[in-house]
Amino acid sequence: MNSPASAGGAQAATNPLLTVSTLPYELPPFDEITNAHFAPAFEAGMAEEQREIAAIANNASPATFDNTIVALERCGQLLNRARAVFFNLTSSNTNPDLEKLRSELAPKLSAHSDSIYLNPALFARVSALHEKRASLGLDPESLRLLDRTYTLFVRAGARLSDNDKVTLRRMNEQLSTLTTQFSQTVLKGVNAAAVVFDKASDLDGLSEQQIAVAAEAARSRKLEGKWVIALLNTTGQPPLSQLKNRASRERIYKASLDRGWGGEFDTTKLIAQIVALRADRAVLLGYPTHAAYVTEDETALTPDAVNKMLAQLAPPAVANAKQEAAAMQALIDAQAKTNGTQAFKLAPWDWDFYAEQVRAAKYAYDESQVRPYFEMNRVLVDGVLFAAHELYGITFKERKDLPVYQEDVRVFELWNADGSPLGLFLVDWYARDNKRGGAWMNSFVEQSRLLGKRPVVVNNLNIPKPPKGQPTLLTFDEVTTAFHEFGHAVHGLFSNVKYPQFSGTSVPRDFVEFPSQYNEMWATEPRVLANYAKHYQTGAAMPGELMDKVLAASKFNQGFATTEYLAAALLDQAWHQLPTGKTPSATDAAAFEANALKQAGVDFAPVPPRYRSTYFSHVFASPIGYSAGYYAYIWSDVLARDTQHWFKAHGGLKRENGDLLRQKVLSQGFSVDSLTIFKDFYGKAPDIGPLLESRGLVTE
């Protein structure tokens, strides 16, 4: 690794991360960046930011908003550039060299952050300005920036004693290391848990294309003549809805469910250490629990508010799930009687298979009928981007001349309705062994008028890639996920703030999911659906009757979907509402999880949590992440369903509606309090009614 002093001159000429990209919108020059560039870029970036911070903290002139708060906003651009590229790649296209560097960087970056927020001279300047903020004559966004900067310093421990700061630094470094180890172990574990089948007949029920994908996955692992079902980092797995062989379903399900509980890729020890450290850290910072620390800075404000909402939803969700289970059990019993076979009790690995049959019977269609109408490129261009054009007037063009970090990634340039440039949108939808599970949006460049930057954002999904020459046909869940993630993308793309701290999706976790969840509504909007739901071979539109069934089935299986989500959200709260000294050991983790689900009333055996603790990356794979915040999806969904209700009342997919939403919500970032943003748009406080109705959870 080179020294900071050598980072200029010759290095700058050869390391593309050390200079601002000259590509459109400052898109990183992926074709020039190599693994070897990151370590010196991080070293140079941290050194440069330390010099910038020292200049601010030690400025002999009295503190002013410009020489302290705005100066902080301008700091660290080299480090931010390296960080954005590096952590995007370690999520979506990692390799052993990057993972090794990631482990080395975790404690260094934690220490670097602490050196800024725990700098007494710097905090003294911030605090002095905050005390006289009312007399500074600041515009609203600038005043909010001063308030938020002060809050971030305080929450980071700036008011602690010197001895407590030493303790906090140690805790932060440990948490950074442990959560990085958790993330890396989960990725290795999900790859190792892939299920190998010796006979194609074991995969009866899958399509020819899916079986070919399984054969290709086996070949890539040097298992010629076998078939491999790779897992996603969720409890449920997509093939379970189609596999006719019950033993095959059970193997896949148990392989997924048992990850991390012992063996080479055990994560229980990491969880125990992470949870204990978070509890101790919360007390050091003046909070009773980690959940109290987290929610204070969310729109929920308190764990009690979170508990109240989750408790309100759990009983109807579980009741609906039990009704759904009863319908499936009746089907199992009826089929056993007809076939003269032994009936069996519905198990978790049976749920998706029989739910699909109940769906087919109730709505007279199944996924195999629908998938040919959801070809991936049509979903993207004629669905996701078409809806954005109709709603916001934006136009787009694919840029095949720009470099990407992996051959399957696509780049689109977007323009506003008036022809002005908007930003770049990268699409990375295929699954890979070196890509973490799930779906997410990230930024390579964040919008800021202060820094003169327009956004560059990326959407990641995990859709299995078919053999070469075959079409990529999506499930309806994957279609919905594509629309969901683009909701995050427009939140980043439409950002119109001055200060980078407020850009795009830098809002509380229980608000950040709001734009993504309301954007799902356009997947089933008739005009949008008719534009993209066309047969991949003939181009024929999805028959109206089938389309009606897809729309009618949108509430189907919502008892299951809500219960598995709530179980994970409640599990997250159970871990993080523990006081210091009361967190379980690794050997007690399984018992703790079981008891937490029982106490919350969501211990319904056929519906395990969407994520069990041992692979719950949302809450254990980064120092903060969604810890004590996984409830955010349902909290945000209240806002999203209210917004869907608003759209229906105001004429639906119309430019004036989109323009109003963009103006009042999507452009604001965190420059205004999130709940204030919502009330200004919606006209009143959030209402849980539309959410209950949308999920079919309204009880008599």
Side-chain angles (χ1 to χ4, degrees), residues 41 103 114 152 155 166 169 177 185 218 254 269 272 279 355 454 532 570 631 645-646 690:
S103 296
D114 283 343
L152 289 176
R155 285 176 56 78
V166 171
R169 288 173 189 265
T177 297
T185 305
K254 287 185 174 179
K269 296 180 183 65
R454 290 192 175 94
Y532 74 84
L570 287 158
Y631 76 90
H645 177 76
W646 181 92

Side-chain angles (χ1 to χ4, degrees), residues 298-380:
E298 306 290 331
T299 61
L301 297 180
T302 67
D304 285 345
V306 175
N307 293 342
K308 181 179 178 181
M309 193 217 25
L310 296 180
Q312 186 177 359
L313 290 168
V318 174
N320 279 34
K322 289 180 176 179
Q323 291 175 5
E324 293 162 2
M328 285 181 264
Q329 188 64 58
L331 178 61
I332 291 169
D333 295 343
Q335 289 180 353
K337 185 175 181 180
T338 300
N339 299 331
T341 56
Q342 183 67 43
F344 53 85
K345 186 177 180 180
L346 177 74
W349 50 87
D350 300 315
W351 189 290
D352 289 349
F353 183 70
Y354 286 97
E356 193 56 37
Q357 293 185 54
V358 171
R359 183 209 304 270
K362 191 170 184 178
Y363 301 104
Y365 88 92
D366 59 37
E367 284 287 359
S368 65
Q369 291 174 272
V370 172
R371 285 177 66 144
Y373 294 95
F374 296 147
E375 189 273 324
M376 188 168 77
N377 187 64
R378 275 209 173 106
V379 170
L380 171 62

Side-chain angles (χ1 to χ4, degrees), residues 386-460:
F386 168 77
H389 170 71
E390 295 297 291
L391 189 60
Y392 307 113
I394 62 173
T395 55
F396 52 89
K397 177 184 178 183
E398 187 163 7
R399 293 289 303 268
K400 296 185 178 182
D401 58 314
L402 296 177
V404 292
Y405 56 84
Q406 202 276 343
E407 62 181 3
D408 293 323
V409 178
R410 301 171 67 181
V411 183
F412 291 84
E413 184 172 10
L414 285 75
W415 294 270
N416 292 302
D418 63 3
S420 60
L422 178 58
L424 293 180
F425 171 51
L426 279 64
V427 180
D428 186 356
W429 280 8
Y430 281 126
R432 292 185 288 276
D433 287 346
N434 63 346
K435 187 180 190 180
R436 72 175 172 88
W440 67 96
M441 169 267 189
N442 264 341
S443 297
F444 283 104
V445 180
E446 294 184 331
Q447 179 272 332
S448 165
R449 294 198 306 273
L450 177 71
L451 303 180
K453 295 183 184 295
R454 290 192 175 94
V456 177
V457 307
V458 59
N459 274 175
N460 281 273

Side-chain angles (χ1 to χ4, degrees), residues 84-346:
V85 179
F86 181 79
F87 286 107
N88 271 293
L89 294 186
T90 55
S91 292
S92 60
N93 198 46
T94 195
N95 59 60
D97 288 342
L98 294 184
E99 289 304 308
K100 181 175 182 291
L101 180 59
R102 184 181 173 196
S103 296
E104 295 169 357
L105 282 172
K108 292 180 181 179
L109 289 171
S110 175
H112 176 73
S113 177
D114 283 343
S115 73
I116 296 171
Y117 284 109
L118 301 182
N119 182 320
L122 182 60
F123 180 60
R125 294 177 71 87
V126 172
S127 185
L129 288 168
H130 189 255
E131 286 179 11
K132 57 182 181 181
R133 60 193 180 280
S135 63
L136 296 178
L138 300 175
D139 63 83
E141 187 177 347
S142 297
L143 179 59
R144 180 165 174 80
L145 177 66
L146 175 53
D147 276 334
R148 282 299 299 168
T149 302
Y150 177 78
T151 296
L152 289 176
F153 271 83
V154 171
R155 285 176 56 78
R159 293 193 299 201
L160 294 178
S161 68
D162 288 344
N163 286 340
D164 284 346
K165 285 179 181 179
V166 171
T167 301
L168 180 64
R169 288 173 189 265
R170 185 180 68 250
M171 287 179 169
N172 287 341
E173 287 189 28
Q174 288 176 304
L175 277 170
S176 183
T177 297
L178 291 168
T179 53
T180 298
Q181 290 173 355
F182 182 92
S183 173
Q184 293 172 336
T185 305
V186 167
L187 179 60
K188 293 173 185 175
V190 75
N191 287 331
V195 183
V196 182
F197 290 96
D198 296 328
K199 299 178 295 184
S201 59
D202 291 336
L203 302 181
D204 184 25
L206 299 187
S207 67
E208 289 183 9
Q209 183 187 90
Q210 288 171 304
I211 292 174
V213 169
E216 181 62 34
R219 280 192 293 273
S220 71
R221 291 169 168 80
K222 296 182 170 48
L223 296 170
E224 292 290 341
K226 297 183 184 296
W227 292 261
V228 167
I229 298 296
L231 302 184
L232 302 181
N233 194 42
T234 50
T235 297
Q237 301 296 325
L240 297 179
S241 66
Q242 299 166 265
L243 286 168
K244 296 179 180 179
N245 187 315
R246 190 170 189 239
S248 297
R249 297 199 302 270
E250 183 176 3
R251 282 188 63 198
I252 293 170
Y253 202 91
K254 287 185 174 179
S256 177
L257 199 70
D258 293 344
R259 281 175 289 138
W261 300 97
E264 182 181 359
F265 304 112
D266 176 87
T267 56
T268 58
K269 296 180 183 65
L270 292 169
I271 292 169
Q273 292 174 280
I274 290 167
V275 172
L277 268 170
R278 283 174 173 167
D280 292 346
R281 182 178 178 273
V283 171
L284 185 66
L285 290 169
Y287 299 85
T289 65
H290 179 69
Y293 170 77
V294 168
T295 52
E296 181 197 60
D297 208 37
E298 306 290 331
T299 61
L301 297 180
T302 67
D304 285 345
V306 175
N307 293 342
K308 181 179 178 181
M309 193 217 25
L310 296 180
Q312 186 177 359
L313 290 168
V318 174
N320 279 34
K322 289 180 176 179
Q323 291 175 5
E324 293 162 2
M328 285 181 264
Q329 188 64 58
L331 178 61
I332 291 169
D333 295 343
Q335 289 180 353
K337 185 175 181 180
T338 300
N339 299 331
T341 56
Q342 183 67 43
F344 53 85
K345 186 177 180 180
L346 177 74

